[in-house]
Amino acid sequence: MVTLLLAATACGGTSAQVGAVGSTGAVGSASGPPTGKDARSAAQASPGRSAAESTAPARGDSATLGDHQSTPRAVPTAKAAQCVNDYFSGMTTAQRVGQLFMGGVSAAHPDQAQLRTLRAQHVGSVMLTGRSAAGTAATRKVVDGIRRQADQVGGRRAQMVVATDQEGGQVQVLSGPGFSAMPDGLTQGGWSTTPLQTRAADWAKQLKSAGVDLNLAPIADVVPASLGTRNRPIGYFHREYGHTPDVVTSHSGAFAAGFAQSGVMTTLKHFPGLGQVLGNTDTTANVVDSVTTTKSASLEPFRAGIQAGSPFVMISSATYTKIDAQHLAAFSPAVIDQLLRHDMGFKGVVISDDLGDAVALRSFTPAQRAVDFVAAGGDMVLTIRPSIVPQMAQAVQSRMRQDASFRAKVDAAVHRILDAKHKAGLLDCG
């Protein structure tokens, strides 16, 4: 919903750009109404689709992929582990905790005060939010400027992960020269998987040329046809690939495969699914799914994506009464540690939906949000409000001093994040 807030802000909901770009949104845009991470942005845009968005590529059509950019060279496992351990060992506690955060920064007009806050907290990842129609070259200049504030560890730069929301339709943060206008999920779901993967590889190359490492997509949520646009976070904006687990599995997989082909990481979202809810967690409190169980067929897109090697999974901020009625999914050990980690075997980075501005989190202090997410098994706290990172980081460090088991969770999370950075070529391993 990060995207909607970003739309209103752009991740879980709909915060992207209308006609260009789930629960997170970003700030304003040069071309269209502002978007909240996911929800706020899309909420202000028309759910209709343009003619261009409704036109599927001809079967067998091949999109122009542009200049080839190779993916980072694989490093032997032992060497990779040693590199990650060296970075971890060389970090101060504050630097380790900083790796647990991704802060939102306006893609069009980065706020220097926000950047100073992220720098002071050693934040290891940023999300480009809102909307920018400046194009790939201008975005690259913005990203390069942000990257210059990454921490040094033992004389080597610990590069930041730079992410954005680039799903398509009303959730596309970056547009302009060099970026294609991406159709919405339902349109992509009407294509066969081969042209979708080809187009996705092209879209990924565009992000890569702009300096972006991680796309907070694809949508793995299954919205039943009977619910359709009454599903406010996904169906209302046509973000879903289809209405059955089979279609969503095949097309989210093709999207992710195309991005992997071009060396850009992806994020399955919003686990364990926002397809069965009515409210949008970006803009609504007490969003409840009373349908999904640990055995639901709607989990198949996530299961298949994890088996295919998805590096990131985003956690929903709704409550799933048949899995854990006592906690929001973002704060639920049953959802994260048990279902996602243990039952599905996910070894990558668990990232939150927006924990900064989402209405679903309003009853929790920033300190509670960060500590409860990590305690439940989460790795990376996403907030589109950099101003609350100091409170969050201080709370995490305080709990680390008091609780050895929590400290072990933080250490494991930092290792997973550094491992993802290593695989993306963001660590200097010599």
Side-chain angles (χ1 to χ4, degrees), residues 50 127 185 258:
S50 68
M127 176 187 181

Side-chain angles (χ1 to χ4, degrees), residues 97 101 117 121 123 355-356 364-371 381 383 385-399 401:
V97 171
F101 293 92
T117 296
Q121 299 300 317
V123 169
L355 298 187
F364 300 87
T365 66
Q368 289 174 318
R369 298 171 202 176
V371 169
V381 174
T383 172
R385 287 179 58 206
S387 62
I388 66 174
V389 172
Q391 301 169 59
M392 290 178 154
Q394 181 179 8
V396 169
Q397 290 192 51
S398 177
R399 179 61 64 88
R401 290 190 292 269

Side-chain angles (χ1 to χ4, degrees), residues 133-147:
T136 55
T139 301
R140 183 58 179 258
K141 290 181 180 179
V142 169
V143 170
D144 286 348
I146 293 172
R147 286 193 187 282

Side-chain angles (χ1 to χ4, degrees), residues 12-14 47 49 167-171 183-190 196 218-245 247-249 251-252 269-270 274-276 301:
T14 298
R49 287 171 279 171
E167 297 173 19
Q170 296 182 53
V171 184
D184 61 33
L186 271 183
T187 300
Q188 294 177 38
L196 175 56
I219 291 287
D221 308 295
V222 180
V223 180
S226 59
L227 194 55
T229 56
R230 289 187 297 131
N231 171 259
R232 298 295 294 189
I234 310 299
Y236 184 79
F237 304 104
H238 307 293
R239 298 170 70 195
E240 73 275 31
Y241 290 107
H243 302 298
T244 65
V247 172
V248 176
T249 297
H251 287 69
S252 60
K269 64 184 187 184
H270 311 81
L274 282 175
Q276 294 283 357

Side-chain angles (χ1 to χ4, degrees), residues 45 119 216 238 396 400 415:
R119 177 70 185 89
L216 298 175
H238 307 293
V396 169
M400 289 172 68
H415 272 89

Side-chain angles (χ1 to χ4, degrees), residues 104-118 142 146 149 386:
V105 176
S106 170
H109 304 289
D111 183 296
Q112 294 304 309
Q114 292 181 339
L115 288 174
R116 285 193 294 272
T117 296
L118 297 180
V142 169
I146 293 172
Q149 70 176 36

